[in-house]
Amino acid sequence: KFDIIVRTDNKMLKFKDYHWTLNDYSNAINKAGLSIVNIDECPIDKSKIKDAEFISRKKTFPSYMLIIVKNID
């Protein structure tokens, strides 16, 4: 758990954020009786973003991850 401060339009937003490891997600999914079918790190569409630094950062650290699961029956 860690504190985040975001400043935008002369306003400040404070909130708590959490970092869950892939192992945390996997354990929770298995405990719920599900299995992982696929994982997608949702790559960015470089043609829609002009900020090269942002693209470089997101190439290394994706913003989103989809975990596709199914029931174990």
Side-chain angles (χ1 to χ4, degrees):
K1 175 167 93 167
F2 49 97
D3 295 321
I4 299 289
I5 299 173
V6 177
R7 290 183 175 86
T8 181
D9 297 327
N10 296 322
K11 295 179 184 176
M12 184 170 50
L13 174 65
K14 294 181 182 181
F15 61 94
K16 299 255 186 238
D17 203 355
Y18 297 84
H19 172 76
W20 303 101
T21 66
L22 189 53
N23 194 53
D24 292 330
Y25 285 110
S26 177
N27 288 340
I29 288 165
N30 291 331
K31 187 175 179 181
L34 304 169
S35 68
I36 296 173
V37 174
N38 199 6
I39 297 174
D40 185 349
E41 291 185 328
C42 306
I44 59 172
D45 183 348
K46 295 176 192 169
S47 68
K48 296 185 178 186
I49 299 175
K50 307 221 182 309
D51 183 344
E53 182 183 334
F54 177 83
I55 290 172
S56 177
R57 218 174 31 248
K58 294 305 170 186
K59 200 180 203 180
T60 306
F61 303 106
S63 295
Y64 303 99
M65 178 176 60
L66 294 176
I67 303 174
I68 296 95
V69 300
K70 69 175 183 177
N71 278 324
I72 302 173
D73 284 328

